Amino acid sequence: MNSKENIFQKILSKKVITDIIYQDNLVTAFNDINPQSPVHILIIPNILIKTLNDINNNHEFILGRMLLVASKIAKKKHINKLGYRIVINCNVHGCQTIFHLHMHLLGGRQGIKNFF
Ligand code: AMP
């Protein structure tokens, strides 16, 4: 096992087993191990992009797919009507802990309104 791989890379390479909710050629989605709401799903690119600071024009399609998949999963999980929150944490002040870009899809209860 390459110890330099982050946990999400290990999930992608199946060295760490988790329930994959959705996967295609560009992105993968799975349940967050420490859910902050009844539905808490992470959507990640299949390639390593460490943070939102590291995206470039070549990633446009991947980023679009992440949102598209989030929207589709939200419908599948029946959280679309009442709504949900999409979060991407970036770097230290964004409280990012896993340095493999990921989108949080949070729903199933009302979030905190005045988040900031
Ligand atoms: P962030 O703070 O935005 O970097 O979020 C990282 C998220 O990854 C946290 O919500 C963790 O609970 C989640 N996480 C860490 N390890 C795993 C894992 N093995 N499987 C699923 N989610 C994980």
Side-chain angles (χ1 to χ4, degrees):
M1 191 182 286
N2 180 357
S3 59
K4 285 184 182 158
E5 280 186 329
N6 66 59
I7 188 71
F8 292 170
Q9 286 172 285
K10 287 177 185 165
I11 287 172
L12 288 170
S13 62
K14 310 241 185 302
K15 286 171 191 149
V16 168
I17 302 303
T18 193
D19 276 342
I20 304 283
I21 291 170
Y22 175 88
Q23 188 162 48
D24 63 26
N25 59 324
L26 296 179
V27 305
T28 298
F30 49 88
N31 283 315
D32 195 292
I33 204 169
N34 183 23
Q36 302 300 308
S37 57
V39 175
H40 187 171
I41 291 165
L42 301 174
I43 299 146
I44 71 170
N46 293 344
I47 60 163
L48 177 61
I49 304 170
K50 288 188 177 170
T51 79
L52 211 51
N53 288 328
D54 301 304
I55 61 169
N56 61 47
N57 290 353
N58 295 330
H59 299 136
E60 207 172 338
F61 212 68
I62 295 174
L63 297 166
R65 182 72 61 84
M66 286 168 75
L67 269 178
L68 197 61
V69 166
S71 171
K72 283 183 179 170
I73 293 175
K75 284 182 188 126
K76 207 170 171 189
K77 296 283 180 186
H78 307 291
I79 59 170
N80 56 311
K81 291 224 167 92
L82 286 174
Y84 51 87
R85 179 173 278 162
I86 295 287
V87 175
I88 297 178
N89 296 325
C90 179
N91 231 330
V92 179
H93 282 190
C95 299
Q96 183 174 2
T97 57
I98 309 285
F99 285 82
H100 185 121
L101 180 67
H102 50 282
M103 184 181 275
H104 297 255
L105 168 63
L106 298 140
R109 69 166 171 84
Q110 191 168 34
I112 300 160
K113 191 172 178 201
N114 297 315
F115 196 57
F116 288 109

